[in-house]
Amino acid sequence: MAKSVSPDAISTLLANPSPESSSDLPEIVVQVLDLKQSGNRYMFTASDGKMKLRAILPSNMYSEVLSGNIQNLGLIRILDYTLNDIPNKSEKYLIVTKCESVSPALQMEIKSEQSGIVLKPKEEVAVKSEAAAGIVLKPKQEVVAKSAAQIVHEQHGNVAPAARMAMTRRVRPLVSLNPYQGNWTIKVSVTSKGNMRTYKNARGEGCVFNVELTDEDGTQIQATMFNDAARKFYDKFVLGKVYYISKGTLKVANKQFKTVQNDYEMTLNENSEVEEVANEASFVPETKFNFVPIDQLGPHVNKTDLVDVIGVVQNVSSTMSIRRKSNNESIPKRDITIADETKKTVVVSLWNELATNIGQELLDIADKSPVVAIKSLRVGDFQGVSLSAISKSAVLINPVIPEAKKLRSWYDVEGKDAAMASVGSGSSPSSNSASRSVYSDRVSISHITTNPSLGNDKPAFFSIRGYISSIRPDQAMWYRACKTCNKKVTESVGAGYWCEGCQKNDDQCNLRYIMVVRVSDASGESLVSVFNEEAEKIVGCSADELDNLRSQDGEDNPYQLKLKQATWVPHLLRVSVTQNEYNNEKRQRITARAVVPVDFAAESRILLEDISKMRVLQ
């Protein structure tokens, strides 16, 4: 059946940016152009033949594209949507929250000069014969005798290239491939496609991109293409389509960079053969998560392995522009804070299109505390523990999985009123992981202070046992913090406090410690920066409580007395050592990451072990 776009559909959308009810909308049918993946969702250009509008299909429409219901050059009927502004631009973009497929891919793009022309799907081929009166006789065809070999040869030559490849070579499953095989052909679906990246090394500049391929058995392999091959195949590989591939090479996978569970990785060069298999549904493996609870992210810090997390969104920042050191290029970044049933929070940094698209969608619904499941994140040591998205990371908003349902039930009943703490701010004394951390990498303070190069390339982590020898009472002990995101707030012109991160004004704020203490042991002493949770364990009260003591008068100043009581108490501290530049001079910065009371039984065991080692050496 012939289909076409709705006249002036884009004008209708722009005139009604936020419809109150989908029932009030006229029929809006647009053509999908430039359909491409962005994270776990798709971006496209909506066209009515006259005007165009940038648009986004949300994550819940992901399967519609992969199944082929929504295709590039196809038609969709928009049932519900919202229009948002593009930051720093006068344009708007369309978020399609509900739609349905009207037609598969048309033969070409509908344009204004073709008004009145109705295009039909490629699959619909109408064979029309010219009207003729009577019977038309054709000349008798000469019959040429052909051998069986000739007939087979002609049939073989007339088939499509992809089918010809299947006829001449045996299709092998991915699990059977190894670097020592000769000719092989695989039939795979593209289940992930990375962005084209540029690089520079001693041999010059180049470009590279990779795809993740999946066969019918669900086995996956990563294929990488460089330079000429990357430019040749980048547009050819389309997410969700099926291909025959041959003339590639295999090698043992580099564990540091591999993204799928396979002992080998594939490289395709400019001589490799890649042919699309027409009219075949892709093999879409079920997305499998291996969630790591937020309070158990510590062992993964600065490791090469990637983690999956699920949490309730607590805060979404505005978009920031970060300048790369390598090429001075500015890239967008957005931080989201999530929490889970461990009552711990962690900051996840989204970059590039994840920051501008997914991040904007999360910002729009942040007040509803959506659940997000994020696959393939790197764990860093910023603020103790932090997460960062990479090019293959996928963010699912309110996914329909058992873990999300369980987390939502917990948050609605208990979590929304629970006190949350940052996972990087330290651990409780009873935590096994905390105990292990403060008893590992034990050094003296002099070991840190006499090695000025520590922390030069990357943060170094140690554990020390020492006493808080002094706390300056006249220092800036705290800062005013937002009650939602804990970022610094400023006093509003009228009343209340303004948070730049949350973009809102609040009547009240919290005080959070940001102080410096002097820590001493038998070998020496050093200044250590301490933040809120660790400082509360040292001082014994919150910053708000200490501020109340500071305002009290009397001969025995309760503020000074409280700080004095906190000194000469032994603590076990897990610290990070970094290099900061001040007045063109590099200085060590020691920061407390965890503070734990001394367990004298455990300390005695450590001393006995050290004595045993000394006896062996003698």
Side-chain angles (χ1 to χ4, degrees):
M1 178 179 171
K3 302 290 182 181
S4 186
V5 296
S6 301
D8 301 319
I10 303 301
S11 298
T12 303
L13 293 170
L14 295 174
N16 192 9
S18 298
E20 295 182 2
S21 173
S22 57
S23 60
D24 299 333
L25 291 174
E27 181 170 276
I28 302 175
V29 177
V30 297
Q31 187 176 27
V32 177
L33 304 177
D34 303 323
L35 180 65
K36 61 181 180 180
Q37 186 190 21
S38 173
N40 67 320
R41 63 202 54 240
Y42 284 87
M43 299 187 68
F44 70 97
T45 300
S47 171
D48 63 4
K50 294 181 181 179
M51 299 177 64
K52 295 181 179 180
L53 182 64
R54 292 174 60 184
I56 299 173
L57 288 173
S59 55
N60 59 357
M61 304 296 295
Y62 184 83
S63 59
E64 291 295 307
V65 179
L66 292 183
S67 65
N69 290 338
I70 297 176
Q71 300 178 8
N72 192 45
L73 294 179
L75 302 180
I76 61 171
R77 179 178 292 106
I78 298 176
L79 303 176
D80 198 9
Y81 67 92
T82 57
L83 275 176
N84 283 6
D85 294 319
I86 297 179
N88 304 321
K89 293 186 180 180
S90 58
E91 303 175 51
K92 293 181 178 292
Y93 64 88
L94 172 71
I95 298 179
V96 181
T97 54
K98 187 177 180 181
C99 69
E100 63 183 15
S101 175
V102 174
S103 170
L106 304 179
Q107 295 171 349
M108 64 184 71
E109 177 185 344
I110 299 176
K111 296 183 179 179
S112 56
E113 59 267 24
Q114 295 173 308
S115 58
I117 297 178
V118 176
L119 298 179
K120 296 185 178 182
K122 294 179 182 177
E123 292 81 353
E124 296 181 14
V125 179
V127 180
K128 297 184 179 180
S129 62
E130 295 184 359
I135 300 173
V136 179
L137 299 179
K138 294 185 178 181
K140 182 179 179 181
Q141 300 294 324
E142 183 180 355
V143 178
V144 180
K146 299 180 182 178
S147 66
Q150 286 176 312
I151 295 172
V152 171
H153 178 74
E154 289 182 1
Q155 289 176 344
H156 177 234
N158 290 333
V159 296
R164 188 160 63 246
M165 186 182 293
M167 290 172 61
T168 56
R169 298 177 185 174
R170 177 186 173 190
V171 175
R172 296 180 178 273
L174 285 178
V175 71
S176 70
L177 298 186
N178 63 68
Y180 310 106
Q181 284 177 314
N183 293 333
W184 45 257
T185 298
I186 57 174
K187 184 181 178 183
V188 291
S189 171
V190 178
T191 49
S192 178
K193 179 181 177 182
N195 296 322
M196 182 77 79
R197 308 187 305 276
T198 58
Y199 64 87
K200 182 186 293 186
N201 56 28
R203 291 178 293 180
E205 298 181 358
C207 59
V208 60
F209 89 100
N210 54 57
V211 292
E212 290 178 10
L213 308 173
T214 306
D215 67 6
E216 291 177 305
D217 299 326
T219 306
Q220 292 185 291
I221 194 169
Q222 178 177 294
T224 304
M225 287 136 280
F226 294 91
N227 301 322
D228 290 342
R231 288 184 283 270
K232 177 180 178 181
F233 294 123
Y234 184 77
D235 292 328
K236 191 174 187 68
F237 278 120
V238 178
L239 191 71
K241 290 192 175 182
V242 182
Y243 299 86
Y244 287 116
I245 299 176
S246 64
K247 296 185 179 180
T249 58
L250 276 82
K251 64 179 181 179
V252 176
N254 186 334
K255 293 183 178 180
Q256 184 177 356
F257 301 108
K258 76 173 187 176
T259 58
V260 297
Q261 295 299 317
N262 199 313
D263 294 333
Y264 302 111
E265 60 187 9
M266 184 182 298
T267 302
L268 301 179
N269 57 42
E270 58 271 24
N271 297 319
S272 299
E273 294 184 2
V274 177
E275 296 290 346
E276 181 182 345
V277 184
N279 301 322
E280 180 140 0
S282 61
F283 333 119
V284 183
E286 181 183 356
T287 303
K288 296 181 180 179
F289 291 96
N290 185 19
F291 293 121
V292 177
I294 293 177
D295 69 343
Q296 296 180 24
L297 291 171
H300 300 274
V301 171
N302 293 331
K303 297 292 181 64
T304 58
D305 57 328
L306 304 177
V307 301
D308 305 338
V309 297
I310 186 169
V312 180
V313 175
Q314 301 289 286
N315 179 63
V316 182
S317 75
S318 56
T319 305
M320 299 165 276
S321 182
I322 305 297
R323 195 171 294 278
R324 276 199 183 119
K325 292 182 180 179
S326 58
N327 55 10
N328 211 32
E329 178 187 358
S330 293
I331 56 175
K333 174 194 176 188
R334 192 191 297 266
D335 289 338
I336 65 172
T337 304
I338 63 173
D340 67 3
E341 292 169 292
T342 64
K343 298 182 181 179
K344 294 291 184 180
T345 64
V346 68
V347 175
V348 183
S349 296
L350 304 179
W351 304 88
N352 296 312
E353 291 183 343
L354 282 180
T356 55
N357 299 334
I358 300 283
Q360 183 62 43
E361 186 174 346
L362 287 173
L363 182 63
D364 293 341
I365 60 173
D367 57 329
K368 299 178 182 177
S369 301
V371 174
V372 291
I374 312 178
K375 189 168 184 64
S376 301
L377 293 169
R378 292 204 184 280
V379 187
D381 57 20
F382 181 68
Q383 294 182 344
V385 178
S386 61
L387 298 172
S388 182
I390 60 175
S391 59
K392 67 162 292 181
S393 299
V395 182
L396 302 183
I397 301 174
N398 293 323
V400 185
I401 55 177
E403 294 89 345
K405 184 177 180 181
K406 179 182 176 185
L407 184 62
R408 169 55 63 193
S409 298
W410 166 80
Y411 186 79
D412 291 341
V413 174
E414 175 187 354
K416 61 184 178 183
D417 298 321
M420 303 288 183
S422 171
V423 67
S425 63
S427 306
S428 65
S430 60
S431 169
N432 291 331
S433 61
S435 300
R436 283 196 300 271
S437 65
V438 296
Y439 286 108
S440 62
D441 310 315
R442 180 71 68 85
V443 298
S444 62
I445 292 177
S446 64
H447 174 81
I448 300 174
T449 56
T450 57
N451 287 276
S453 62
L454 285 175
N456 195 22
D457 296 326
K458 63 179 182 179
F461 292 86
F462 300 100
S463 296
I464 57 177
R465 176 189 172 188
Y467 292 84
I468 309 299
S469 53
S470 68
I471 304 174
R472 281 181 49 202
D474 57 342
Q475 66 176 301
M477 302 280 287
W478 46 71
Y479 69 95
R480 291 191 179 102
C482 173
K483 300 184 72 173
T484 303
C485 68
N486 292 331
K487 291 186 177 180
K488 186 177 181 179
V489 297
T490 55
E491 290 189 28
S492 299
V493 177
Y497 302 91
W498 172 256
C499 175
E500 189 67 29
C502 297
Q503 292 289 303
K504 67 176 184 179
N505 201 64
D506 205 332
D507 295 335
Q508 296 179 330
C509 68
N510 291 332
L511 297 182
R512 291 179 64 85
Y513 284 115
I514 178 170
M515 56 191 286
V516 176
V517 301
R518 189 176 297 276
V519 180
S520 304
D521 68 1
S523 68
E525 62 180 14
S526 179
L527 295 176
V528 177
S529 298
V530 186
F531 296 102
N532 193 63
E533 283 77 8
E534 291 75 29
E536 287 181 350
K537 296 172 185 177
I538 291 173
V539 178
C541 66
S542 68
D544 288 301
E545 292 170 337
L546 190 62
D547 183 48
N548 291 333
L549 295 178
R550 195 175 197 172
S551 61
Q552 294 179 16
D553 299 325
E555 294 182 2
D556 296 328
N557 190 316
Y559 170 74
Q560 299 268 8
L561 182 61
K562 189 67 176 177
L563 294 181
K564 187 175 181 180
Q565 290 173 347
T567 58
W568 299 112
V569 177
H571 295 280
L572 300 179
L573 297 93
R574 183 71 175 174
V575 298
S576 64
V577 183
T578 57
Q579 294 283 341
N580 281 6
E581 191 168 318
Y582 182 74
N583 289 337
N584 296 322
E585 179 183 351
K586 283 193 173 182
R587 295 183 179 181
Q588 274 187 345
R589 178 183 173 91
I590 305 175
T591 305
R593 299 298 183 185
V595 177
V596 178
V598 175
D599 184 338
F600 291 100
E603 287 292 307
S604 299
R605 286 192 292 271
I606 291 176
L607 290 174
L608 289 172
E609 289 176 4
D610 291 341
I611 293 172
S612 299
K613 292 176 183 177
M614 294 171 64
R615 287 175 179 173
V616 172
L617 293 175
Q618 291 175 353

